[in-house]
Amino acid sequence: NEGNEYFKEKDYGRAVAAYSEGLRRRSGDAELDAVLLTNRGAAHFHLGNFRSALNDAIQAKKLKPTHLKAIIRGALCHMELKNFSEAIAWCEEGLQIDPKEKKLVEMRAKADKLKVNIKAAWHLQCLSLWDPWWERAPSRFLCSERNIKLVLEPSDEEDDVSGGLAEISLDGFHSDSATGAKVHLDADGNLNWPVLFLYPEHEQTDFTVAFHENSRFIDHLMVMFAELPPWDLEKKYLPNNLELYFEDEEREEMYEVNPEHTLLQVLQHERYFVKAGTPTVLVFVKRSPFSKKYFSGKKVHRL
């Protein structure tokens, strides 16, 4: 009830805390726990924590497979995460329960269309991210005074798509998770950035809409992986079992990122270049066979 009151007041952070406290009490009532998980997922969703919201929907569906609200929430999360095939699967599962559920019918059609046009959608998102942000001189000045290096030139491959588009490309792995969010200045004069996390081993991504420049990476990892992602079947993606890197594409070199460092400290690295207005980091499991193969033939600067 306390969580519901906070939710009505749009105080989603406290709503998450209240629902979590309810779950910690272990009522033994599967139906109640499914409701708590679904409600917490809704609060996470409004905070932009789509991964956590999806994990709650998955757990709620396990407890109550016919819980339509959990299925709708899970499908919405997959849509936000650009997992269109998974969104379609969740929609179809829900439509088996209620074939006339309007939200699922509409979402199913939208996911189908976006899955087909995913490349075009990515280009449009990058364009919407690019145009207004780079044109404003104050933003360039704020980055300049912080010694943050911006890449303004379009790549040769994308010259026919945009006059100022630099697509994120890492060994043929393209991200489809940018959502058009833009860097912005808060009331205290600090920059908040959209940040893209890439997981090459699983070809998955996370997108943080507002990463405060003075926040540490480890703090974000603790929130993002409070619940294991559904694609981590081996349960390896634990906050303290991860390594972060950025790639210097010009030199074809990799730089390890200290998770205790803030975003600003990383952006100020002499070889870090912000492309398309979105800082990007790669995430690997420590000493995994995949990372060893990925780094093979590349010069890696470790901590």
Side-chain angles (χ1 to χ4, degrees):
N1 289 339
E2 184 179 304
N4 290 347
E5 287 301 315
Y6 284 131
F7 194 95
K8 289 176 185 176
E9 296 168 4
K10 298 185 178 181
D11 192 344
Y12 301 117
R14 289 184 178 180
V16 166
Y19 294 134
S20 297
E21 182 60 29
L23 288 162
R24 277 194 288 271
R25 297 300 174 95
R26 300 184 182 279
S27 68
D29 184 334
E31 181 130 359
L32 174 58
D33 285 347
V35 171
L36 285 167
L37 284 162
T38 303
N39 290 358
R40 187 174 70 175
H44 271 308
F45 187 90
H46 283 285
L47 289 169
N49 301 331
F50 304 124
R51 166 73 64 69
S52 297
L54 177 59
N55 288 337
D56 279 344
I58 291 169
Q59 294 305 314
K61 189 157 68 79
K62 284 181 181 178
L63 290 173
K64 189 180 178 184
T66 59
H67 193 27
L68 207 55
K69 284 188 177 180
I71 293 172
I72 292 171
R73 182 63 57 192
L76 284 168
C77 290
H78 278 304
M79 291 292 288
E80 292 292 337
L81 294 168
K82 304 294 185 268
N83 300 331
F84 299 124
S85 295
E86 289 84 351
I88 290 169
W90 278 64
C91 287
E92 290 179 345
E93 188 174 346
L95 289 170
Q96 288 180 3
I97 299 168
D98 183 356
K100 296 181 180 180
E101 172 53 56
K102 186 178 178 182
K103 288 182 181 178
L104 291 174
V105 171
E106 292 177 350
M107 206 184 323
R108 172 69 173 80
K110 184 178 180 181
D112 230 357
K113 183 178 179 181
L114 289 172
K115 183 182 176 184
V116 173
N117 297 313
I118 193 168
K119 185 73 173 179
W122 164 244
H123 289 161
L124 290 173
Q125 288 162 353
C126 285
L127 283 170
S128 67
L129 172 70
W130 183 276
D131 288 341
W133 197 84
W134 297 120
E135 293 303 317
R136 293 200 298 273
S139 295
R140 295 199 300 272
F141 172 75
L142 289 169
C143 290
S144 178
E145 71 173 4
R146 285 168 166 76
N147 195 28
I148 297 173
K149 294 164 285 300
L150 310 175
V151 177
L152 304 180
E153 298 81 13
S155 66
D156 293 336
E157 299 170 353
E158 299 298 334
D159 199 38
D160 59 330
V161 178
S162 166
L165 173 63
E167 183 175 16
I168 297 163
S169 175
L170 297 159
D171 288 355
F173 172 55
H174 299 278
S175 166
D176 300 303
S177 290
T179 63
K182 302 171 185 67
V183 63
H184 64 274
L185 197 66
D186 63 23
D188 297 320
N190 298 304
L191 289 177
N192 290 263
W193 292 82
V195 175
L196 195 59
F197 293 83
L198 306 182
Y199 310 100
E201 183 172 1
H202 297 277
E203 294 191 354
Q204 297 286 337
T205 63
D206 272 327
F207 189 72
T208 300
V209 176
F211 194 132
H212 191 286
E213 63 182 351
N214 292 323
S215 292
R216 302 180 307 164
F217 278 89
I218 186 61
D219 296 328
H220 279 264
L221 292 176
M222 294 297 288
V223 173
M224 291 160 58
F225 292 97
E227 303 278 351
L228 288 173
W231 42 262
D232 180 20
L233 300 178
E234 297 179 27
K235 300 182 178 180
K236 299 184 297 184
Y237 281 73
L238 304 171
N240 294 319
N241 193 37
L242 301 176
E243 292 179 335
L244 307 178
Y245 293 84
F246 69 84
E247 186 167 19
D248 182 345
E249 294 180 30
E250 181 184 336
R251 297 183 179 179
E252 296 185 353
E253 297 177 354
M254 304 288 296
Y255 289 83
E256 187 175 0
V257 172
N258 187 338
E260 299 289 335
H261 280 180
T262 65
L263 175 60
L264 181 58
Q265 286 176 295
V266 174
L267 296 184
Q268 289 176 332
H269 190 282
E270 62 179 356
R271 296 305 303 171
Y272 197 99
F273 300 91
V274 178
K275 284 189 173 184
T278 306
T280 305
V281 294
L282 292 89
V283 184
F284 299 90
V285 173
K286 288 181 180 177
R287 296 176 292 279
S288 68
F290 178 87
S291 65
K292 291 178 182 177
K293 182 178 178 181
Y294 189 92
F295 296 142
S296 178
K298 295 180 181 179
K299 184 174 181 180
V300 181
H301 300 268
R302 298 191 182 275
L303 295 174

